[in-house]
Amino acid sequence: MNRPTVLEATFLGTALAASGASAPAAAQSPVRSPYVTARDGTKLFVQDWGNGKPVLLLSAWTFNGSAWGTQIAALNEKGFRCIAPDRRGHGRSEMPSSGYDLQTLTDDVADIIEARDLRDVTLVGFSMGTVEAVNYLARYGSDRIARLVLVAPTTPFLVKTEDNPDAVPKAMIDADHATIARDFAKWIAANEAPFFLPETPEITRAWIREMMLSVPLPVALACRRTISFSDLRAAAASIDRPTLILHGDKDASAPLPLTGAKTARLIKGSKLVVYEGGPHPLPLTHGERVIADMLAFMTA
């Protein structure tokens, strides 16, 4: 067996002394598989880092769990365990030809919670993830969920109907889907400016473009339909857990009056925090503030 050099041993000792940990304790960490098998056999890639109370992080449309990296690192440091799955068809999860409807996607969330035996969970959804989170509570109840955080929600219902007049006409939604189907890359380029802040660095923009374009177009379109046509008004009204809603007032993807504000009115006792000048991807553009607001909510 190779023994550490004097330099390596000195570095290790200094690091452990600074952290207050002993060598055996620092080495101990539960071994967890990076995959959970959904009930239909689809393998879902799951990042599972740290120990302590669990925080389940559900990603935006065409994003994967890596987009939560800043939050994961900060929450781990504060003693929380972070679980960030890649939605089926995204990232390192398998890509079946079906299962992108709301019920199947919600079942995937439930399967992850059951497989990892998560309890006292802070359930965090960002954008499309809020649709899955709200529907999970309606379908599976709140026994395993302690609290809910919705970041830039796309709930409760985006389509204009007689009983939902201040929403988006279906013809506009259909036209947007058709534009994506014709040229997804061109659509991303056309919508990039209002999505980020002007000062968002190019390397971040390129990372997100690559992440989005890595999702097969049929998957992206199916998930887009799920977001657009899911009516979660009754589901939101039934939530019985403390809820924090974080939303930017310059969100071009999910305008605050149509989504976050409506959702806050439906969830009894929820707290809506509006980020002045905030665009849609708050975990990327306002990462430190999102972390601070989440920690204050989770430790209150």
Side-chain angles (χ1 to χ4, degrees):
M1 180 176 68
N2 294 329
R3 300 183 65 181
T5 66
V6 172
L7 179 60
E8 291 168 340
T10 301
F11 175 79
L12 179 61
T14 302
L16 291 175
S19 68
S22 63
Q28 290 176 357
S29 181
V31 177
R32 304 178 182 125
S33 168
Y35 289 96
V36 167
T37 302
R39 63 194 66 183
D40 68 353
T42 301
K43 287 187 177 181
L44 305 171
F45 181 81
V46 180
Q47 295 191 51
D48 193 340
W49 302 102
N51 301 294
K53 289 187 176 180
V55 181
L56 179 58
L57 299 154
L58 305 179
S59 301
W61 174 70
T62 64
F63 283 27
N64 60 55
S66 295
W68 289 109
T70 297
Q71 286 72 36
I72 291 170
L75 293 172
N76 282 170
E77 184 70 20
K78 294 295 184 179
F80 290 92
R81 174 184 174 188
C82 293
I83 303 94
D86 289 355
R87 185 178 290 112
R88 62 172 58 211
H90 295 63
R92 284 165 281 187
S93 290
E94 289 187 338
M95 298 183 182
S97 59
S98 63
Y100 302 98
D101 58 285
L102 180 58
Q103 305 314 322
T104 303
L105 292 171
T106 304
D107 289 343
D108 288 349
V109 175
D111 291 342
I112 291 166
I113 291 174
E114 291 286 338
R116 296 297 162 100
D117 194 25
L118 304 179
R119 301 176 187 276
D120 196 23
V121 178
T122 297
L123 181 57
V124 182
F126 164 37
S127 191
M128 182 177 181
T130 65
V131 174
E132 294 159 327
V134 168
N135 197 53
Y136 172 87
L137 285 165
R139 289 197 66 200
Y140 288 93
S142 55
D143 288 350
R144 290 177 177 261
I145 308 301
R147 60 193 64 81
L148 176 66
V149 179
L150 304 176
V151 183
T154 54
T155 55
F157 186 34
L158 298 178
V159 182
K160 182 177 182 178
T161 59
E162 287 187 4
D163 64 346
N164 193 40
D166 50 340
V168 184
K170 182 177 181 297
M172 289 182 62
I173 293 174
D174 289 341
D176 192 54
H177 290 191
T179 301
I180 294 171
R182 283 194 299 272
D183 194 331
F184 191 21
K186 183 177 180 181
W187 179 90
I188 290 174
N191 288 276
E192 181 177 318
F195 188 76
F196 293 108
L197 293 173
E199 62 267 27
T200 302
E202 171 56 26
I203 191 169
T204 301
R205 297 166 180 261
W207 173 46
I208 296 303
R209 289 194 298 264
E210 182 179 358
M211 187 181 296
M212 296 177 72
L213 289 169
S214 72
V215 177
L217 187 55
V219 173
L221 290 169
C223 288
R224 188 86 173 178
R225 284 190 289 271
T226 294
I227 299 170
S228 299
F229 298 112
S230 293
D231 184 350
L232 291 165
R233 290 175 291 181
S238 70
I239 289 173
D240 62 354
R241 286 293 182 261
T243 301
L244 173 67
I245 301 169
L246 308 178
H247 211 132
D249 64 1
K250 298 299 183 183
D251 189 330
S253 301
L256 174 63
L258 304 185
T259 53
K262 283 186 176 182
T263 302
R265 288 194 294 269
L266 287 169
I267 302 177
K268 185 177 180 180
S270 63
K271 179 182 180 181
L272 172 63
V273 177
V274 177
Y275 287 35
E276 185 177 355
H280 191 62
L282 295 179
L284 300 175
T285 61
H286 293 70
E288 291 187 1
R289 183 176 172 187
V290 168
I291 291 163
D293 284 339
M294 287 174 56
L295 282 170
F297 177 63
M298 293 189 293
T299 57

